[in-house]
Amino acid sequence: MKAPLSPLLLLLSRLSPSLAFSPPHTPHTHHKPRALTSLSSSSPTSSVDCLVIGGGISGSTLAHNLHKSNLSVLLTESRNYLGGNVRSVIYTDDDGTFVFERGPNSFATQPSIVRISHELGIQDQLVFADESLPPWVNHDGKLHPLPKGKGGKGPKGQLELVFGSNGVLKFGLAGDLLSWPGKIRAGIGAFLGHAPPPPDGEETIREWVTRILGEEVFLRVIDPFVSGVYAGDPATLSMKAALPKIARIEEYSYGIEWNKFGAIFYGGLARQVELTKERKADPPDANWVEFEYGNPGSYKRGLSTLPDAIREELQDKVKLEWTMKSVSKKDDGEGFVTTFDTPEGETAVHSKTVVSTIPTHAVGSSLESVLPGSTALFTKVRTNIQRQGIYYPPVAAVTLAYPKSSFKDVELDNEFGNLQNLPGFGSLNPRSEGVRTLGTLWSSSLFPGRCPDKYNILLNYIGGSRDPAIGTMNEQEIIAAVDQDLRKVLLQPNAPPPKILGIQVWPTAIPQYELGHLEIMKELEEMEKKLEGGGLWVCGNYRSGVAFPDCVTFGYEHAKVVKEYLKKKQ
């Protein structure tokens, strides 16, 4: 049987199981900021075209695009660095130099990332992973590779994905991640049809996948991916909100006239054909570095290269350790006055427009003057999932290094070689396996120069909405829990203690797109529309997507919205 998962796996691979965090919006002291000129609270400032509040990837890339359009912009951030969850570290000891991340490890490459890298003059710093490296799933004491091509371009790549040594055909016929009953159930949903969606109500990710492909596919394939992207609970995450691109495959399926029962495989093919046409109609700029859509990427010195370059570009248009207190309309109704607590005292900024990109838990009542009801909206109770507001569960990113000889000396399936060389993107742990760590990214295998040759670096994510107790544990306890899991999955029993490179506990990590999320976003949009004169947008990764490329794309697209608004106001 041909593996029925290829459309889903193709789209899921674009998400990249690399967690995207929204860290607490409080000042940090890890990096010492350089001195920047502050706006004086005693002397009114000239109005800027746009005030961007929040210097994560969404806010900083938006500020870059506005600046590039010759608009006056001010970017404020409550911490003492730009980048939000992105924290790259370069550490050197007697063993050599280690490059690692305290947040997300990589991005699924999209044009928006290559474009902004070109504009900032850092495209020569881009690095891309070997496209043939698969993600592995830990099940029943063994690592199982998910289907992946070998890096071929165009039709050759598609043939590799289907017929290659690690293609979907071999996954379906010879792979043992799924049982034969599980494969048959998935094949029925993929090629023949499945139960229709419920006429009323919103489906969770678990309900959607189980209805179409069966429980086994959900537990062994989809659940670990969802843990990698959201660190969430598929029993509460909304399918249409959290994975809209995949949910739309079903709409494509029913849109095929002869496909009366919505067999999902044909909808996936239809979408892939459409996507190919879209990319041909809008090809990348010839001056950009070559890239493959969805391929894992980073920068030579880590992901912080991007926000660091934006800070260098914007110079004194960046204000660090500025915490927003309130936003109000100016007395004449034209524009806004936003007050901040700063190291120099309270400061007011006048602006024609305001874009907030800070997490919902950091908004508080600061927008109530301009958006009445926003406080209640962001603390809204959803009784069906026992949730108040948008939930940001705790997640810890734990980076450990071990000698290569510490890893199990076993040959992996599909000619990938020995596990000690970590030939893959990383390993994912279904919740059914009794392993607490959500997933482990094989960082040193993805990108060159991340550590000395005799070591492997592992970036482990643990916690999430199904394990909030991580937020109450101390760092040594978390490291011990991760090390214990690694000894079950990757390491030999007698492996030495790890070299502890870093641990970052994010108390409020990834916003959860749970049931009712789309309704909250719709209410927020209506609030913005009701604001007389407009010019205020409340955004962030809880609205435009949690993945790194989503945030960069938002910066590009929303700059167009701001520019169009200002053009009409002239």
Side-chain angles (χ1 to χ4, degrees), residues 8-32:
L8 288 180
L9 291 173
L10 184 63
L11 284 167
L12 282 166
S13 68
R14 300 301 187 255
L15 293 173
S16 172
S18 179
L19 296 168
F21 308 116
S22 293
H25 225 66
T26 53
H28 291 243
T29 57
H30 185 72
H31 299 296
K32 184 178 180 181

Side-chain angles (χ1 to χ4, degrees), residues 427-440:
S427 49
L428 297 164
N429 299 309
R431 297 300 83 201
S432 56
E433 294 305 306
V435 176
R436 194 170 187 180
T437 301
L438 298 171
T440 298

Side-chain angles (χ1 to χ4, degrees), residues 5-280:
L5 302 176
S6 52
L8 288 180
L9 291 173
L10 184 63
L11 284 167
L12 282 166
S13 68
R14 300 301 187 255
L15 293 173
S16 172
S18 179
L19 296 168
F21 308 116
S22 293
H25 225 66
T26 53
H28 291 243
T29 57
H30 185 72
H31 299 296
K32 184 178 180 181
R34 61 183 176 181
L36 294 175
T37 304
S38 297
L39 297 179
S40 171
S41 58
S42 59
S43 58
T45 66
S46 59
S47 179
V48 294
D49 289 322
C50 186
L51 169 65
V52 180
I53 305 169
I57 298 302
S58 297
S60 57
T61 56
L62 172 60
H64 158 78
N65 283 288
L66 293 171
H67 173 73
K68 186 173 177 289
S69 300
N70 295 317
L71 296 177
S72 58
V73 62
L74 188 71
L75 173 63
T76 67
E77 167 56 46
S78 67
R79 292 152 291 194
N80 63 356
Y81 67 96
L82 293 185
N85 56 299
V86 174
R87 305 297 305 276
S88 305
V89 179
I90 300 175
Y91 169 77
T92 302
D93 64 10
D94 292 341
D95 289 321
T97 298
F98 298 80
V99 180
F100 63 95
E101 306 284 354
R102 292 181 177 271
N105 184 68
S106 61
F107 48 72
T109 306
Q110 296 296 324
S112 59
I113 294 175
V114 181
R115 176 195 293 113
I116 197 170
S117 299
H118 174 75
E119 292 170 351
L120 291 166
I122 56 173
Q123 71 171 3
D124 63 330
Q125 296 298 305
L126 284 167
V127 289
F128 303 109
D130 180 345
E131 293 177 67
S132 67
L133 295 177
W136 297 78
V137 175
N138 167 43
H139 171 64
D140 199 22
K142 178 184 175 182
L143 290 174
H144 305 260
L146 292 179
K148 203 80 167 14
K150 293 187 175 182
K153 306 297 186 286
K156 180 183 178 182
Q158 294 299 318
L159 289 172
E160 290 173 353
L161 178 61
V162 176
F163 300 106
S165 60
N166 190 44
V168 294
L169 188 62
K170 188 169 186 178
F171 178 81
L173 288 173
D176 51 3
L177 176 58
L178 299 178
S179 68
W180 275 106
K183 294 175 184 179
I184 292 170
R185 169 64 183 87
I188 292 172
F191 297 109
L192 299 179
H194 48 77
D200 301 311
E202 190 178 6
E203 281 187 292
T204 65
I205 292 177
R206 180 166 193 158
E207 290 168 340
W208 190 91
V209 174
T210 302
R211 173 172 62 83
I212 293 175
L213 296 172
E215 184 78 357
E216 191 171 297
V217 168
F218 166 75
L219 290 174
R220 299 184 188 178
V221 180
I222 307 302
D223 186 21
F225 263 104
V226 173
S227 295
V229 175
Y230 278 99
D233 183 354
T236 62
L237 287 168
S238 163
M239 185 66 193
K240 286 188 175 181
L243 300 175
K245 294 178 183 178
I246 298 175
R248 280 200 294 272
I249 292 179
E250 185 173 14
E251 297 176 15
Y252 280 92
S253 299
Y254 280 112
I256 301 172
E257 186 176 356
W258 54 265
N259 191 21
K260 301 298 183 183
F261 299 103
I264 202 77
F265 179 79
Y266 310 109
L269 287 181
R271 175 53 186 152
Q272 191 61 35
V273 169
E274 183 180 85
L275 196 60
T276 301
K277 291 179 179 178
E278 290 173 359
R279 290 172 178 172
K280 285 184 178 180

Side-chain angles (χ1 to χ4, degrees), residues 363-410:
V363 172
S365 60
S366 59
L367 301 176
E368 198 66 27
S369 172
V370 285
L371 292 183
S374 58
T375 306
L377 179 64
F378 287 143
T379 56
K380 184 177 181 178
V381 175
R382 286 170 280 172
T383 56
N384 58 330
I385 57 172
Q386 299 298 305
R387 191 76 74 212
Q388 182 177 14
I390 296 173
Y391 181 42
Y392 293 70
V395 175
V398 183
T399 304
L400 306 176
Y402 297 87
K404 288 184 177 180
S405 58
S406 303
F407 291 75
K408 294 178 180 178
D409 186 11
V410 297

